Amino acid sequence: MAAIALLSVRVVQGFIYWGGGSRRFIYGPEKLDPEAPTWMANKLQSAMPGALLGTDHLIGFLLHHFWLLYPAVILFSAVELIAGAALMAGLLTRLAALASVGLSMVLMLMFGWQGGTCIDEWTMAACNLAMGATLVLAGGGAYSLDNVLLKRDRGRSDRAWFRWLAGSLPLPLGDTGFRNLGLSVLAVVLAFNIGTYSYYRGSVVTPFHGGPVSPTRHHFALSNGALLHDGGVKFQIYLDGGTPEAPAHIMKAELIGGENQPLETWNTETLNRLPAESIRNDFAYNKFKAGPYGIVAEMGARATITLPPQPNLHPPAGGTLILRLTDVNEHSFSLKLAGSDESS
């Protein structure tokens, strides 16, 4: 009865992961084409700002090393495809379910923060983690290739590897051992799911919050700003918040002096005419670039931008100088400049 009851869990869990892999290998192969706009590296970079437990650094490292990035994308997609197909067929069910558990945890750490009205990516991964953990414990049971293999060779029932990796027989544990394993799995699943949910949105022991990284409102992190000797400004910028579904736009940049006095202004028309060499992107995928509405940026983009000096204006090197950027929604982002950079 339990084996039949779990059929829908096993088949749907398998279909979810088979669907993810098949979209890339069969139905949408452009996702694995580095020259296509839907290349998976763009999606990985869009997840980087909110990725947890060092996975943001891992993503950044892969994005800088294509010879590792491409095999990693192929391997991840292949594991999804194979594990999903194996779950649907009930072949080495526990091993396939364990692979789905690992995939769910990785996806939750990388993409769990995203989602405008709710944490969509977290919800899917959290459910998949629980489903995978259940199948690791229970196996595939009815209507599975594991059962076919067992019927063809009854001796497999005495082999430890078959009992642990396949799914047609109970795990080779006594009642106490299985109970302890089941409770341990429950503890891990609860800690991981509830812990990440609390981090992303609160609502467990703290009030609800929008998350350390907003999935809806674009945010620019500015650093290493310097006033150049000719009156230009150089700074680093990182789009580290917001939705990947829509680009962010910087409509205006201002150099502010004492008493909040604008010394230089780069309006939308000036920004959309910036030459390509004025924007040096850190990554080859999601980028900052000049667009029809100022500077446009895709989620996770990071770059060093040099704003040219305005004609006949020579701001003083002394005193406090602030660079202020304004986006299309009239949100402003400010950075104190280090001062004149005569070596630039």
Side-chain angles (χ1 to χ4, degrees), residues 165-196:
L165 301 183
S168 55
L169 294 170
L171 287 172
L173 297 170
D175 290 346
T176 301
F178 184 79
R179 181 196 65 194
N180 292 340
L181 176 62
L183 293 176
S184 297
V185 170
L186 172 65
V188 171
V189 170
L190 287 177
F192 197 84
N193 279 354
I194 296 175
T196 51

Side-chain angles (χ1 to χ4, degrees), residues 12 14-15 32 139 163 222 228 235 239 261 264 275 291 325 330:
V12 170
F15 181 78
L32 299 180
R163 298 285 291 268
L222 307 178
L228 306 180
F235 61 98
L239 181 55
Q261 177 68 32
E264 294 188 85
L325 306 181
E330 298 188 352

Side-chain angles (χ1 to χ4, degrees), residues 110-314:
M110 289 185 176
F111 298 97
W113 64 276
Q114 294 180 340
T117 55
C118 64
I119 38 182
D120 308 322
E121 300 286 356
W122 176 91
T123 301
M124 184 180 74
C127 291
N128 288 339
L129 175 56
M131 292 164 68
T134 298
L135 292 172
V136 169
L137 293 172
Y143 308 110
S144 65
L145 290 182
D146 288 336
N147 265 344
V148 174
L149 293 174
L150 183 61
K151 289 178 181 178
R152 288 186 175 181
D153 183 1
R154 291 290 179 180
R156 287 192 175 99
S157 63
D158 298 323
R159 296 170 189 167
W161 70 266
F162 188 79
R163 298 285 291 268
W164 281 103
L165 301 183
S168 55
L169 294 170
L171 287 172
L173 297 170
D175 290 346
T176 301
F178 184 79
R179 181 196 65 194
N180 292 340
L181 176 62
L183 293 176
S184 297
V185 170
L186 172 65
V188 171
V189 170
L190 287 177
F192 197 84
N193 279 354
I194 296 175
T196 51
Y197 182 82
S198 178
Y199 180 81
Y200 289 134
R201 290 294 183 272
S203 305
V204 179
V205 294
T206 62
F208 173 85
H209 57 75
V213 177
S214 173
T216 56
R217 176 173 172 171
H218 286 126
H219 180 271
F220 294 99
L222 307 178
S223 61
N224 298 328
L227 177 67
L228 306 180
H229 68 280
D230 60 359
V233 174
K234 183 169 67 175
F235 61 98
Q236 290 182 341
I237 184 169
Y238 180 28
L239 181 55
D240 65 348
T243 174
E245 304 303 323
H249 298 270
I250 298 172
M251 306 289 288
K252 183 171 67 173
E254 297 173 285
L255 182 65
I256 308 298
E259 299 181 357
N260 204 31
Q261 177 68 32
L263 301 175
E264 294 188 85
T265 299
W266 296 266
N267 60 21
T268 300
E269 185 178 356
T270 302
L271 295 178
N272 65 31
R273 291 203 307 261
L274 282 179
E277 58 268 21
S278 295
I279 304 175
R280 182 165 54 84
N281 284 283
D282 288 6
F283 302 104
Y285 309 104
N286 294 351
K287 297 180 179 181
F288 282 87
K289 58 186 177 182
Y293 305 106
I295 298 175
V296 61
E298 299 167 299
M299 190 61 202
R302 192 167 66 198
T304 298
I305 297 178
T306 301
L307 299 176
Q310 296 295 289
N312 304 318
L313 286 177
H314 301 283

